[in-house]
Every structure is written in C-alpha cells, then in structure tokens.
Amino acid sequence: MEIETPPPPPVAAAVAAAAAISSVLGDDDLLREILLRLGLPTSLLRAALVCRRWLRHASDPAFIRRFRALHPPRLLGAYLSTSAGPAPRLRFLPIRPVPELAAAARRAGAFFDAFKGSAASVYDSRSGRLLVTTFDDRHDSTRQICGPLSPAGDTAVVPPPPPPPPIQLTNDDECLIYHYGEFLPDDDDGRSYFCVVMGYSELQTTVYLYELQDMSWVVRASAAAQLPLLPPRSRVMLFDNAKFYMLSATNKILVCDFPSSSISVMELPNGVLNKHSGCIMLSRGDGSGIFLVHVKESQLQIFHCGKDSDNPGNWFLVDYICLRQVCANLDMTTWPSVDGQSASVKICAVGDNARFVFLEMFGAVVFLDVTSRQADKVYQLTPEDKELVSVRPLMLIWPPVFPPMKEGYDQKESSTQAQTAA
C-alpha cells in the first residue's frame, strides 16, 4: 500500500517558495526580462515601487527605450467635442478599456466636471496632458495646461498666445494674413507649450516659433521665404519640436525647419488631392519623418516620408486599407454605401506613426487600429450633437514618472520581492 507523503508545514513551504522566487528575481537579467513583459506603463510604475533595485532597472534609460519599442504608448481614450447648444459639448470616450486602466479612464472622464458652467475646447493633447481653453458666461477665455490623469487633476493657467509679430511687407498694397498653431511638447514641467505663428501674403511667407518659458513668450526661431501660399482650407498642421508642417490650399505642404531657419514646400504623394476637409491628416513619426493619412471613398492610404530623405517629397505607400472590409463588423447594413461617398468619410485624428485613426463615417465616430485592422464604433452622433467639432486622443503619460530613490528604500528587499511576486 502506497503511503502518501504529508504536505510540508506551511512555514517551510513559504520559505521554500520565497527562496525559489528570490533565485529568479535576484538575477538582474531575468528581472529585466520580466519587467519588460509587463505591457503597461502603470504596471511598470507599480513594480518600480517594490524596492530600489527594481526602481533602478525600471527607470534605466536603455530599459525604457526597450520597453517603448515593445509596448508603444497606450491610447486611453479620446475627448470628443460636438457643437451641441450654445457651447461645445465635451465628453470622454474610453477606447478598448482594460481593468487595470479603469481608474485612469474614470479620472479622465470626470476631469471636466470641475469646469461646469464653462465651455471648454481641447486644442492639443500630448503624453497625458491637454491644452485647454475655457469660456465663461461673458465669453472671456482662459488658457490652461491640464493633467487629467493626475490624481490631483493638475491644472496650470498660462498666458494666451502671443500677438502677431511685425512683418515687413514689400509694398503698401500687400495683404498679410496670420495663422496660428498651438502645440504641447512631448515632455516638460507642465507649464510649457509652443505657438507657431505664420504670416503669409501673395509674395512671402514668414513663420515664427514661440515657446512659453517661465510664463513668458520667447521667440525660439523664425524663418522667411519668398513662397506665396493661399490660406489653408482646414487645420492640417503638425509640429515635432523641430519642424512645422502645414497643408496649404494649393495641395502642397509647407515645411519650416526651425534649426536651419529655412522654409520649403513638399509635394503631396502622387494621386493625393486635398479635395475636402477631413480627407488628409499628418502624423508624427517618432524621429523617422512624417506620415500622411489619406481617405478616398472606401480606401484609406498611409504614406511615409523619411526624415533624412534627399527628396523631401519622396513619399512611400506603406499601408492600404479597405474600409468596407475592416468595418464589416460595425453593422454596415444600416449605413449608406461607402463607395462613391468620399465626403461622408472624414479623418478626425491620427496617432503617432499612424498607428490608429479616428474616422467620422455617416454620423458615427469609428476607431481603427491600423496594426490589428480592427475597427470599433465608439460613438453615434445624435441630433442634439449637431456637428462633430474635434476628436483629441488621450495617451497614457510617457515616460512614467518614477519616484525619487531614497536611502533605505531597499531594506528587506528579498522578502518584499517574494511577497509582491506572490
């Protein structure tokens, strides 16, 4: 008769488990590989709180670069603005929510509750921050940089954009028109943003780059060229902290390189025309140039122009998506036919590296994950919404804000690691 071996005492089993865990987590190479597979920056931040050693590995710049390459910045949701009533209506739409990010999504959704009584417009969104303008009952405006994902809901009031700079015209009959673009930097102290002011006439184009430093506007760079351009048809602009791109009404892209103080013109890809508002959007390329997303009828095209390309208009078609196919799961039978209805499909927003696209399709807002080819209808416009004004994606804060290292932070490290892993 086989005699069963009694289980080890609970204390002995716990000690053995802790020793086994420590043998794995005590290996720096294995620990980095484990941290690398956490998937979300929020998980990485929680892991960094275990001890100094974990914090040192998680916050190492080389590790952060590997983590970002494996897990691109995560989209939490989008702020959707419609022209309902006398003031724009703003709401937050979580995109493909996961339980771990539920608290962050709730904070983002409830953030504008504190602005009750004021109309709010989101001008830009970068790395978990928003550039917001609020209007009170007297229509007085206030500029604010907000951190909706911060537990405290950080908000800093900033000055309005600078007045247009004086630009010397060639003759008294020349008419000068100004165009503004406001952009948040990738990372800053929470009180900075850029303003690009372009003055253009029939004979010249001048661009100024302003940066808000210590609550004062400072001219960071400027450029001018004898390039006559027509006013833009829509807000199709892109700023990557070094270059400013703007689509003109002449189906060309103005490129202002601030480090070299030069202005040039880039042609659109072959066969691409700016036929209506919302058919073209530009996307940042994380240091690899820019992307151009174009929608025509039921086809979505994505082009890329490399940063170091000898020909600044050397576009390459890198992706081609049939909207009819990817949107087949969205109850297409209730929608008009996509083919031949080019003005009924508009681009509302795009992610960096053209990883995702928000589309307005026949009265609905659709999120399209370009990589997975999956589409979700995230909002159905109602008669009360009147018209869709803007869609501003909200990304998780990147890089994560790690706590400062403190002396004694790694005391009892082995037991803490074992308890956390368990």
Side-chain angles (χ1 to χ4, degrees):
M1 179 177 180
E2 185 177 352
I3 300 177
E4 295 184 0
T5 303
V11 175
V15 171
I21 293 173
S22 295
S23 66
V24 175
L25 300 182
D27 187 313
D28 286 346
D29 292 335
L30 288 177
L31 177 60
R32 283 191 292 267
E33 292 302 316
I34 292 172
L35 295 177
L36 192 63
R37 284 158 176 77
L38 290 178
L40 291 172
T42 51
S43 303
L44 183 63
L45 182 59
R46 277 197 285 269
L49 297 176
V50 172
C51 61
R52 280 173 60 95
R53 179 167 158 265
W54 287 34
L55 172 60
R56 186 167 54 252
H57 286 302
S59 60
D60 178 70
F63 174 84
I64 288 294
R65 287 192 293 270
R66 290 184 63 200
F67 190 93
R68 180 188 174 99
L70 189 61
H71 311 289
R74 172 66 182 254
L75 173 69
L76 182 64
Y79 286 100
L80 182 143
S81 177
T82 58
S83 58
R89 183 181 179 185
L90 196 62
R91 59 174 60 82
F92 181 73
L93 305 175
I95 304 299
R96 296 184 178 175
V98 295
E100 186 170 353
L101 300 178
R106 285 194 298 270
R107 283 198 295 269
F111 179 73
F112 282 99
D113 291 347
F115 294 83
K116 288 182 178 179
S118 300
S121 297
V122 180
Y123 278 78
D124 195 22
S125 174
R126 296 296 302 174
S127 300
R129 295 184 308 279
L130 305 174
L131 177 60
V132 177
T133 297
T134 58
F135 302 88
D136 58 21
D137 295 336
R138 296 174 297 180
H139 302 288
D140 293 331
S141 63
T142 302
R143 281 289 199 284
Q144 302 178 58
I145 295 179
C146 308
L149 301 183
S150 169
D154 297 335
T155 300
V157 177
V158 295
I167 298 176
Q168 185 67 38
L169 299 178
T170 56
N171 58 69
D172 295 337
D173 297 330
E174 191 175 359
C175 179
L176 184 66
I177 302 176
Y178 287 97
H179 198 79
Y180 277 76
E182 300 170 57
F183 306 90
L184 288 169
D186 281 329
D187 49 56
D188 66 294
D189 59 2
R191 295 173 180 267
S192 176
Y193 74 98
F194 295 101
C195 182
V196 177
V197 184
M198 185 181 74
Y200 50 93
S201 67
E202 296 178 357
L203 300 176
Q204 64 179 332
T205 297
T206 306
V207 181
Y208 281 80
L209 172 65
Y210 290 85
E211 183 176 6
L212 186 64
Q213 296 179 351
D214 297 326
M215 304 302 285
S216 298
W217 287 107
V218 177
V219 177
R220 179 169 158 179
S222 64
Q226 299 297 318
L227 291 174
L229 291 174
L230 297 176
R233 293 175 178 171
S234 60
R235 179 187 166 92
V236 182
M237 292 184 266
L238 185 68
F239 178 58
D240 65 359
N241 295 5
K243 290 185 178 181
F244 171 66
Y245 303 84
M246 190 195 74
L247 180 66
S248 73
T250 57
N251 284 310
K252 298 179 185 296
I253 299 176
L254 177 140
V255 183
C256 181
D257 187 309
F258 290 113
S260 64
S261 297
S262 63
I263 295 178
S264 59
V265 171
M266 178 187 298
E267 299 289 339
L268 293 179
N270 290 334
V272 173
L273 296 175
N274 185 24
K275 287 188 174 182
H276 65 85
S277 176
C279 71
I280 292 177
M281 192 71 71
L282 302 176
S283 168
R284 297 170 55 152
D286 279 349
S288 64
I290 64 169
F291 291 85
L292 184 146
V293 183
H294 176 242
V295 62
K296 181 180 179 181
E297 299 175 353
S298 64
Q299 309 302 323
L300 188 77
Q301 299 172 307
I302 300 178
F303 298 87
H304 178 249
C305 182
K307 181 179 180 180
D308 300 322
S309 175
D310 295 333
N311 181 1
N314 193 16
W315 293 98
F316 294 93
L317 181 64
V318 294
D319 213 336
Y320 182 88
I321 300 174
C322 177
L323 297 178
R324 175 180 291 278
Q325 294 178 357
V326 299
C327 295
N329 64 315
L330 305 183
D331 194 15
M332 289 289 291
T333 57
T334 64
W335 292 0
S337 172
V338 176
D339 293 323
Q341 302 282 344
S342 60
S344 296
V345 181
K346 297 181 180 179
I347 304 172
C348 303
V350 297
D352 287 354
N353 297 291
R355 290 193 182 99
F356 61 81
V357 181
F358 283 92
L359 302 167
E360 181 183 1
M361 302 180 67
F362 313 110
V365 178
V366 175
F367 169 75
L368 171 61
D369 186 316
V370 173
T371 303
S372 66
R373 293 294 202 276
Q374 294 182 354
D376 300 315
K377 182 163 64 172
V378 296
Y379 186 74
Q380 181 69 50
L381 295 170
T382 66
E384 290 75 17
D385 291 316
K386 292 187 178 179
E387 185 180 4
L388 180 63
V389 176
S390 65
V391 176
R392 303 295 185 198
L394 180 67
M395 311 296 293
L396 287 178
I397 298 174
W398 184 264
V401 181
F402 294 100
M405 292 189 183
K406 298 179 181 180
E407 293 299 328
Y409 191 52
D410 54 351
Q411 292 180 356
K412 302 180 181 179
E413 179 176 318
S414 297
S415 61
T416 304
Q417 291 175 358
Q419 292 172 8
T420 302

